[in-house]
Amino acid sequence: MILTKAQYDEIAQCLVSVPPTRQSLRKLKQRFPSQSQATLLSIFSQEYQKHIKRTHAKHHTSEAIESYYQRYLNGVGENGAAPVLLELANEVDYAPSLMARIILERFLQEHEETPPSKSVINSMLRDPSQIPDGVLANQVYQCIVNDCCYGPLVDCIKHAIGHEHEVLLRDLLLEKNLSFLDEDQLRAKGYDKTPDFILQVPVAVEGHIIHWIESKASFGDECSHHAYLHDQFWSYWNRW
């Protein structure tokens, strides 16, 4: 289904006033029943990431970090089983996985002799059982599994979806008997930055000659189009 600019703007405007939770996604689906769950989730995720980028700095001041850490300590001191970190993230309108990272880094700074490296932090977020404090490990885990826009779980899902779309595209090209080179074949020829597929014999689609295809398993809003044009598409267009 083709989504018009007006329909997209209506969905994006609706997202301004809702928190990034699965409950909000269900409400969004009820309001826009003609749109697929995948489309709404992709728009939801992109709009929320824009919001996080705009507000990121205020959550990383030394005052904010100390305030969040003390609230975490007070919260788990009263009830270690309660979702303290998750509720704190929702209250201050910050992604749960990113809040978990802030608190984990602050905890390790306090309890380790040397500052934690980024690789250590990432490893603990991917596998909270590595965190040396059981209560914090559980709090981080709750944030990771309840975050639908950020975190290692979301990254794995995005990677899997991206790979799935590339496989589907490859199957479609084979079904249409189109001759092509994929990314691995192009890199073997020495190209460093390549689209997913180069058509060895260009085809016409709706009056346009297509030389190459880049698969993106996300919604193509204006912002992402501009970013991809700058980072990838213009170089592909110039070369091929």
Side-chain angles (χ1 to χ4, degrees), residues 76-99:
V76 296
E78 295 176 3
N79 184 359
V84 176
L85 268 189
L86 181 61
E87 291 177 353
L88 175 58
N90 289 335
E91 180 184 331
V92 302
D93 196 15
Y94 200 48
S97 292
L98 300 183
M99 177 61 74

Side-chain angles (χ1 to χ4, degrees), residues 137-177:
N138 182 52
Q139 294 288 327
V140 169
Y141 174 77
Q142 291 177 14
C143 287
I144 297 299
V145 299
N146 284 285
D147 195 327
C148 54
C149 295
Y150 283 93
L153 182 59
V154 171
D155 290 341
C156 287
I157 293 171
K158 287 181 177 178
H159 179 77
I161 292 174
H163 180 68
E164 177 188 14
H165 280 67
E166 288 182 20
V167 171
L168 291 172
L169 179 54
R170 174 192 292 274
D171 291 344
L172 187 60
L173 292 173
L174 291 171
E175 179 185 320
K176 300 296 183 182
N177 292 318

Side-chain angles (χ1 to χ4, degrees), residues 13-64:
Q13 185 60 39
C14 178
L15 290 172
V16 172
S17 59
V18 299
T21 63
R22 290 179 175 82
Q23 290 77 13
S24 296
L25 276 174
R26 283 194 285 270
K27 292 178 181 177
L28 201 63
K29 181 61 178 174
Q30 291 171 358
R31 177 162 179 183
F32 301 98
S34 63
Q35 303 302 328
S36 71
Q37 181 82 1
T39 297
L40 293 174
L41 176 58
S42 189
I43 296 174
F44 180 92
S45 178
Q46 288 178 340
E47 291 301 311
Y48 185 65
Q49 287 172 27
K50 292 177 191 175
H51 168 71
I52 290 298
K53 288 176 183 178
R54 289 194 299 267
T55 61
H56 175 81
K58 75 174 185 180
H59 297 290
H60 283 263
T61 65
S62 57
E63 294 82 3

Side-chain angles (χ1 to χ4, degrees), residues 170 212 233:
R170 174 192 292 274
W212 53 268
F233 298 161

Side-chain angles (χ1 to χ4, degrees), residues 95-221:
S97 292
L98 300 183
M99 177 61 74
R101 177 182 286 274
I102 288 176
I103 300 303
L104 177 58
E105 288 180 350
R106 179 64 181 81
F107 173 86
L108 293 175
Q109 288 170 3
E110 185 174 287
H111 291 83
E112 302 291 331
E113 294 181 359
T114 57
S117 67
K118 186 175 181 179
S119 62
V120 168
I121 295 293
N122 290 338
S123 179
M124 289 183 175
L125 289 172
R126 286 193 296 269
D127 179 11
S129 67
Q130 298 178 23
I131 297 173
D133 181 87
V135 173
L136 179 56
N138 182 52
Q139 294 288 327
V140 169
Y141 174 77
Q142 291 177 14
C143 287
I144 297 299
V145 299
N146 284 285
D147 195 327
C148 54
C149 295
Y150 283 93
L153 182 59
V154 171
D155 290 341
C156 287
I157 293 171
K158 287 181 177 178
H159 179 77
I161 292 174
H163 180 68
E164 177 188 14
H165 280 67
E166 288 182 20
V167 171
L168 291 172
L169 179 54
R170 174 192 292 274
D171 291 344
L172 187 60
L173 292 173
L174 291 171
E175 179 185 320
K176 300 296 183 182
N177 292 318
L178 296 176
S179 180
F180 63 87
L181 295 175
D182 63 23
E183 204 168 12
D184 293 334
Q185 292 171 313
L186 288 165
R187 284 179 178 166
K189 290 178 176 289
Y191 294 107
D192 56 344
K193 183 179 284 190
T194 70
D196 291 325
F197 299 96
I198 293 288
L199 300 183
Q200 292 181 296
V201 179
V203 297
V205 178
E206 296 182 357
H208 299 279
I209 303 301
I210 306 302
H211 294 265
W212 53 268
I213 303 172
E214 175 73 15
S215 172
K216 297 296 181 187
S218 61
F219 185 81
D221 65 355

